[in-house]
Amino acid sequence: MSNQRVPIEPQRVDAPLTQSATFLVVTATKKPDSINTIRSTLAGLDSLAKNVSIRDLSARFACTVGIGSDIWDDLTSLPRPAELHSFREVKGEKHIAVSTPGDLLFHIRSERRDICFEFERQLMNQLGDAVSVVDETVGFRYFDVRDLLGFVDGTANPVGPSVPASVLVAGEDTSAEGGSYIVVQKYTHDLSGWGHLSTEQQEKIIGRTKIDNVELDDAESGQRSHKTLNTIEYENGDEHDILRDNMPFGSPGSAEFGTYFIGYTRRLWVIEKMLERMFVGDPPGLHDRILDFSKPLTGTTFFAPSASFLANLDSE
């Protein structure tokens, strides 16, 4: 019953999976008041969220804000999170994880598309000409949380008590405590080429069965699956978990089909290691074969600070 009366807490990186999401990446303009406008907007974001979410609390609205490396110092005047830096391009023999601009990320989620739309409309009205849009992607939940390649997405996400330990910075960096690193990439898929593969070939690339999502062993050839390349382990064999809230997007009329990858993590290096293994290969040269059908168009890194951090941005 509490979900019907209490909005989701601001900056909740583990907000529930929803039917709709908007991923909005912007950069600050050179207008004289841009930084001040952005700062005051972020400080008042909780009020804006309540103004929209109160219209339907059952829609489970949430917005998480990430701040990029290039704007951090001017915007906050506070110590930088220890691992925060711009997205580093990863260049393999055949594929490249590109690095693209982005000062702010707004990860807007709701069960209702109109709630996401209304929040973004009011947000952009407040930001005005202080920002310019780099990318705006509208995602949707596809059947039983599958991507457009037909496989269940997000199976390896941490659950329950293990979520905070995987995604929230703790005592190792007290200035960033309670926040989370975010990496986003927008991939488009060659569904025609993918569709020409047999189900068995697709399953070997992903590392899971297509219908019932059961893990498969890698081939003896040394080629590792997408699942294996994205598994980073401690020395004792335990996994370094990250939280994914990926969403399909696209337009059949424009022949655009894609997945918006968004990963939240306590340790940025974990996602960077995943990308290195995907694009360079492990061993080098044996890249993730999903990249032969999925092309990254963007790559940006952010840090999502705590809600109290945002609320105090405009207190000076």
Side-chain angles (χ1 to χ4, degrees):
M1 291 297 293
S2 60
N3 190 45
Q4 303 299 318
R5 295 293 303 167
V6 181
I8 293 171
E9 296 174 4
Q11 289 296 92
R12 273 278 301 277
V13 300
D14 60 339
L17 296 175
T18 54
Q19 293 298 315
S20 182
T22 300
F23 305 94
L24 179 66
V25 176
V26 302
T27 54
T29 62
K30 301 298 183 181
K31 302 287 184 181
D33 263 355
S34 289
I35 295 297
N36 288 336
T37 299
I38 293 170
R39 189 182 293 124
S40 63
T41 300
L42 295 187
L45 208 65
D46 187 28
S47 295
L48 177 58
K50 288 177 180 176
N51 182 47
V52 175
S53 64
I54 195 66
R55 305 180 190 203
D56 183 358
L57 291 175
S58 67
R60 300 197 296 180
F61 171 84
C63 176
T64 306
V65 180
I67 301 173
S69 175
D70 290 347
I71 201 177
W72 181 273
D73 297 334
D74 290 340
L75 184 65
T76 72
S77 301
L78 293 169
R80 300 166 64 84
E83 290 191 70
L84 181 61
H85 54 253
S86 297
F87 185 98
R88 292 169 177 165
E89 177 184 278
V90 182
K91 189 171 185 178
E93 292 181 6
K94 188 173 181 181
H95 303 289
I96 300 175
V98 296
S99 176
T100 52
D103 288 331
L104 299 169
L105 165 73
F106 297 93
H107 181 193
I108 306 166
R109 289 168 274 185
S110 176
E111 295 292 344
R112 293 175 49 171
R113 169 67 189 130
D114 58 341
I115 296 288
C116 293
F117 173 91
E118 180 60 17
F119 176 83
E120 184 185 3
R121 185 187 71 81
Q122 293 191 26
L123 171 68
M124 292 305 294
N125 279 346
Q126 289 193 15
L127 290 171
D129 61 5
V131 301
S132 59
V133 175
V134 175
D135 183 69
E136 177 190 36
T137 300
V138 175
F140 56 89
R141 194 61 60 197
Y142 189 57
F143 295 114
D144 48 339
V145 292
R146 293 180 183 268
D147 57 31
L148 296 185
L149 300 179
F151 286 79
V152 174
D153 199 1
T155 302
N157 276 347
V159 295
S162 63
V163 174
S166 300
V167 302
L168 298 181
V169 176
E172 70 273 12
D173 185 4
T174 54
S175 64
E177 195 164 356
S180 184
Y181 295 96
I182 312 172
V183 174
V184 297
Q185 290 179 292
K186 182 177 182 177
Y187 287 86
T188 53
H189 305 311
D190 172 14
L191 286 194
S192 177
W194 182 254
H196 280 94
L197 299 181
S198 68
T199 297
E200 183 180 8
Q201 289 173 314
Q202 293 178 0
E203 290 176 338
K204 286 181 179 179
I205 290 173
I206 300 298
R208 291 182 179 274
T209 58
K210 194 168 187 177
I211 295 178
D212 47 12
N213 196 38
V214 175
E215 287 192 16
L216 297 172
D217 293 332
D218 288 343
E220 294 182 1
S221 64
Q223 175 63 54
R224 298 189 174 188
S225 67
H226 177 70
K227 169 188 65 67
T228 301
L229 291 170
N230 279 273
T231 301
I232 310 299
E233 296 181 341
Y234 292 92
E235 291 182 358
N236 65 3
D238 291 340
E239 294 182 16
H240 282 285
D241 289 331
I242 69 169
L243 184 67
R244 301 167 178 83
D245 200 1
N246 304 346
M247 278 273 192
F249 69 90
S251 168
S254 302
E256 180 187 53
F257 308 98
T259 297
Y260 199 97
F261 166 80
I262 178 166
Y264 289 93
T265 181
R266 177 178 178 173
R267 303 169 182 88
L268 179 59
W269 70 263
V270 173
I271 296 182
E272 292 178 330
K273 186 65 175 178
M274 291 177 178
L275 294 176
E276 179 186 336
R277 285 160 60 99
M278 285 179 62
F279 284 81
V280 176
D282 184 30
L286 295 179
H287 65 268
D288 190 338
R289 297 305 173 187
I290 199 174
L291 296 176
D292 296 337
F293 306 92
S294 301
K295 179 180 180 180
L297 304 182
T298 69
T300 323
T301 299
F302 302 93
F303 184 79
S306 65
S308 60
F309 182 103
L310 285 184
N312 291 322
L313 274 181
D314 208 25
S315 60
E316 297 182 359

